């Protein structure tokens, strides 16, 4: 029998990140400047030079600096686990493997880029990073990254999560970050929202505006984004390269790769290293992006130009979007609440290289509980979306008798999300139908780009 945990040694951690840009069959659309609407680099006062270079690089591989590698070794390589017990519970002939990023100190894949971003900012002499966080996973990852490179860290945390998830805030503060509920009185963008709606529960888009403004108005401060941008997806490719090596050790290759998409970084990190195979050998590999019905950008949004944030300070990108003023309903507990999606994922979806599915949160949590009861790990609500679709695919194999190999991106654990589990277990979780009217209203606010 194959091992349950497929491990690599420290020497087998990939030494470079994989950049998909030169391998794309058609070039990615440019980023547009929010005011001039002309093609732009990353906005100069916000990001260090090295990350801007990575954003547009045409090099297939980018070496991981030793200082970052030394920190990666605290939790990398992460395990690839054969889900024997889940397979048995489903009585499926499919082989399910999950790549587990929950072993990182922050509990998710986000440290892979947090450490890299803190490193490049430090190297270029900046003293402080400002960012936003939703559920708190990104904020906690960046808090640790900043701590390890002696940077100050300022986190604007979506207000509803700030109050619902106090332990994430405590984790950020333990690593030394300063955390403010957003919208706040500390920025113009925050004050503008509060004057219209003093009860605003906040959104990722609003928090991004506050963090961007903070960075733009402080010389020593840069902005840091935990998903969406090309350089963030790039840093996550360490995950997929490891998974590929681990599957090789047991002579396996996926028929299906499944992951959840919020801004797209964890899943891109897993599947991008498989894209050259898919394009060159025309391998019959399905890549399934899973999103919530309450925030279905790929499956329901138009492919168009939109701002990355509510205030229109971030660049305009071509993406599947629900509109930058869209705020997903508060009752949705499952994360993945961003209005848009990583341009790389949108481009691949447009080209038909990846597919997308939207799922409701009750079946998602049902799958998460089954996963916890068989494999032991309570998944974070986000990857629970992918668990649901992996289970559906495994059950389809049971019907058809096919012995497919499924690679599941398990981006983090749900130890800080037990409130959502509690609501599910108590039968209090509601499925939220696609909020068509809210989306139509938000789409009326799209920027005009000729
Ligand atoms: C943030 C987060 C996500 C969603 O963000 P992506 O950029 O789409 O990966 C998914 N899973 C976990 C555990 C997260 O913390």
């Amino acid at each position: 029998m194959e091992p349950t945990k497929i491990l690599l040694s420290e020497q087998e951690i990939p030494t470079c990140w994989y950049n998909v840009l030169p391998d794309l069959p058609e070039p990615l659309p440019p980023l547009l400047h929010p005011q001039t609407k002309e093609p732009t680099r990353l906005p100069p006062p916000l990001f260090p030079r090295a990350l801007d270079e990575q954003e547009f690089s045409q090099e297939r591989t980018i070496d991981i600096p030793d200082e970052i590698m030394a920190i990666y070794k605290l939790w990398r390589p992460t395990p690839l686990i054969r889900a024997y017990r889940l397979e048995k519970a489903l009585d499926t002939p499919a082989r399910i493997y999950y790549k587990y990023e929950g072993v990182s100190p922050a509990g998710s894949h986000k440290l892979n880029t947090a450490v890299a971003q803190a490193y490049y900012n430090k190297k270029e002499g900046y003293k402080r990073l400002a960012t936003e966080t939703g559920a708190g996973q990104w904020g906690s990852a960046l808090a640790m990254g900043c701590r390890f490179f002696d940077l100050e860290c300022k986190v604007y945390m979506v207000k509803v999560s700030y109050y619902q998830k106090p332990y994430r805030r405590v984790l950020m503060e333990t690593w030394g970050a300063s955390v403010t509920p957003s919208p706040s009185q500390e920025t113009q963008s925050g004050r503008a929202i509060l004057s219209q709606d003093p009860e605003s529960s906040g959104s990722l888009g609003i928090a991004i505006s506050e963090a961007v403004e903070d960075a733009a108005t402080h010389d020593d401060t840069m902005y840091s984004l935990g998903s969406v941008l090309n350089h963030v997806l790039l840093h996550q490719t360490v995950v997929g390269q490891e998974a590929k090596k681990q599957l090789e050790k047991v002579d396996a290759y996926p028929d299906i790769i499944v992951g959840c998409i919020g801004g797209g970084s964890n899943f891109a990190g897993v599947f991008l290293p498989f894209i050259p195979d898919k394009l060159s050998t025309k391998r019959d590999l399905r890549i399934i992006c899973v999103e919530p019905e309450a925030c279905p950008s790929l499956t329901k949004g138009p492919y168009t130009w939109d701002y990355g944030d509510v205030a229109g300070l971030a660049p305009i990108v071509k993406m599947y979007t629900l509109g930058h003023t869209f705020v997903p309903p508060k009752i949705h507990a499952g994360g993945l609440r961003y209005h848009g999606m990583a341009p790389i994922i949108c481009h691949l979806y447009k080209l038909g290289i990846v597919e997308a599915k939207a799922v409701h949160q009750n079946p998602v949590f049902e799958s998460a509980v089954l996963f916890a009861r068989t494999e032991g790990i309570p998944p974070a609500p986000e990857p629970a979306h992918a668990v649901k679709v992996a289970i559906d695919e495994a059950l389809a194999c049971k019907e058809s008798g096919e012995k497919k190999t499924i690679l599941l991106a398990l981006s983090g654990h749900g130890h800080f999300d037990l409130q959502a589990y509690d609501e599910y277990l108590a039968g209090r979780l509601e499925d939220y139908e696609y909020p068509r009217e809210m989306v139509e209203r938000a789409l009326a606010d799209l920027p005009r780009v000729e």
Side-chain angles (χ1 to χ4, degrees):
M1 205 155 98
E2 254 177 39
T4 302
K5 280 206 315 288
I6 306 160
L7 301 172
L8 298 174
S9 70
E10 248 173 54
Q11 287 67 42
E12 290 172 290
I13 300 176
T15 55
C16 56
W17 295 300
Y18 164 66
N19 177 21
V20 76
L21 295 184
D23 289 338
L24 292 173
E26 288 174 31
L28 203 62
L31 292 181
L32 304 183
H33 192 277
Q35 274 96 46
T36 67
K37 299 183 180 150
E38 294 297 326
T40 179
R41 309 287 299 186
L42 290 181
L46 296 182
F47 295 90
R49 211 177 45 250
L51 295 178
D52 183 56
E53 277 164 20
Q54 291 178 3
E55 187 70 17
F56 302 97
S57 170
Q58 287 294 323
E59 304 290 330
R60 287 188 86 240
T61 59
I62 293 172
D63 289 340
I64 303 175
D66 292 342
E67 293 89 336
I68 296 174
M69 191 59 95
I71 296 176
Y72 275 180
K73 284 180 184 171
L74 290 175
W75 71 93
R76 306 214 69 84
T78 61
L80 180 78
I81 300 171
R82 174 81 185 267
Y84 280 119
R85 292 176 48 86
L86 177 63
E87 289 170 18
K88 186 147 181 262
L90 298 172
D91 188 24
T92 175
R95 290 192 287 178
I96 306 172
Y97 298 88
Y98 56 97
K99 178 66 170 164
Y100 185 45
E101 289 296 299
V103 295
S104 87
S108 80
H109 68 287
K110 288 199 171 78
L111 264 188
N112 299 322
T113 186
V115 167
Q117 293 191 39
Y119 166 80
Y120 289 113
N121 276 286
K122 176 72 180 186
K123 200 167 161 221
E124 293 182 31
Y126 301 105
K127 299 275 184 291
R128 182 172 171 273
L129 287 182
T131 197
E132 71 288 335
T133 197
Q137 288 123 323
W138 169 241
S140 42
L142 193 68
M144 189 187 119
C146 284
R147 171 56 44 197
F148 276 38
F149 287 104
D150 271 326
L151 296 167
E152 280 178 57
C153 183
K154 169 76 174 188
V155 182
Y156 294 88
M157 184 171 189
V158 176
K159 197 184 276 171
V160 56
S161 304
Y162 184 91
Y163 292 109
Q164 278 177 3
K165 305 194 174 181
Y167 296 129
R168 280 278 173 197
R169 171 180 59 73
V170 177
L171 189 57
M172 291 184 252
E173 290 171 349
T174 301
W175 277 316
S178 142
V179 188
T180 305
S182 163
S184 77
Q185 296 288 355
E186 295 182 24
T187 65
Q188 288 217 317
S189 343
R191 288 190 294 272
I193 299 279
L194 288 173
S195 71
Q196 281 174 8
D197 177 10
E199 300 301 302
S200 168
S201 58
S203 73
L204 264 187
I206 294 170
I208 293 175
S209 298
E210 291 207 89
V212 166
E213 183 184 323
D214 182 317
T217 52
H218 294 89
D219 279 347
D220 62 350
T221 303
M222 296 301 251
Y223 171 65
S224 183
L225 192 62
S227 187
V228 180
L229 293 175
N230 301 347
H231 67 267
V232 180
L233 275 54
L234 171 83
H235 299 151
Q236 296 298 348
T237 58
V238 63
V239 183
Q241 292 180 79
E242 280 181 11
K244 219 174 159 185
K245 276 193 205 174
Q246 285 161 311
L247 286 171
E248 276 165 20
K249 291 204 185 252
V250 291
D251 271 331
Y253 195 90
D255 297 296
I256 298 172
I257 311 181
V258 54
C260 68
I261 48 164
S265 71
N266 89 84
F267 191 38
V270 172
F271 78 71
L272 286 176
F274 291 87
I275 289 285
D277 296 349
K278 174 152 170 123
L279 294 177
S280 64
T281 62
K282 308 269 182 272
R283 249 183 191 278
D284 198 14
L285 162 64
R286 289 177 63 202
I287 299 169
I288 310 175
C289 306
V290 189
E291 59 186 14
E293 279 283 359
C295 193
S297 33
L298 280 195
T299 51
K300 296 267 175 51
Y303 188 45
T304 184
W305 298 97
D306 195 9
Y307 295 108
D309 70 319
V310 171
L313 301 170
I316 298 172
V317 295
K318 183 95 183 264
M319 59 183 173
Y320 289 88
T321 178
L322 301 172
H324 61 284
T325 52
F326 174 76
V327 180
K330 234 195 283 187
I331 63 159
H332 173 64
L336 308 172
R337 304 169 65 94
Y338 185 60
H339 66 272
M341 188 50 59
I344 287 180
I345 295 216
C346 293
H347 189 65
L348 293 170
Y349 182 60
K350 180 77 185 166
L351 294 173
I353 296 169
V354 304
E355 52 191 288
K357 278 206 169 118
V359 290
H360 281 297
Q361 62 180 351
N362 271 300
V364 161
F365 277 93
E366 185 188 347
S367 303
V369 168
L370 175 62
F371 194 87
R373 289 180 184 177
T374 51
E375 295 299 316
I377 299 165
E382 294 88 352
H385 289 70
V387 172
K388 156 76 180 140
V389 172
I391 288 175
D392 288 349
E393 290 297 333
L395 291 174
C397 287
K398 183 178 169 182
E399 286 293 303
S400 66
E402 287 170 290
K403 295 197 171 91
K404 287 189 180 160
T405 297
I406 299 171
L407 171 58
L408 163 65
L410 199 68
S411 48
H413 65 64
H415 295 173
F416 291 95
D417 305 284
L418 294 176
Q419 183 68 40
Y421 275 83
D422 191 34
E423 283 167 30
Y424 168 73
L425 292 170
R428 285 197 305 267
L429 215 53
E430 286 172 55
D431 283 337
Y432 205 83
E433 280 313 317
Y434 171 60
R436 179 174 308 277
E437 273 174 27
M438 283 168 64
V439 172
E440 274 166 13
R441 238 175 298 142
L443 288 177
D445 297 331
L446 289 179
R448 252 174 292 250
V449 173
E450 295 317 311

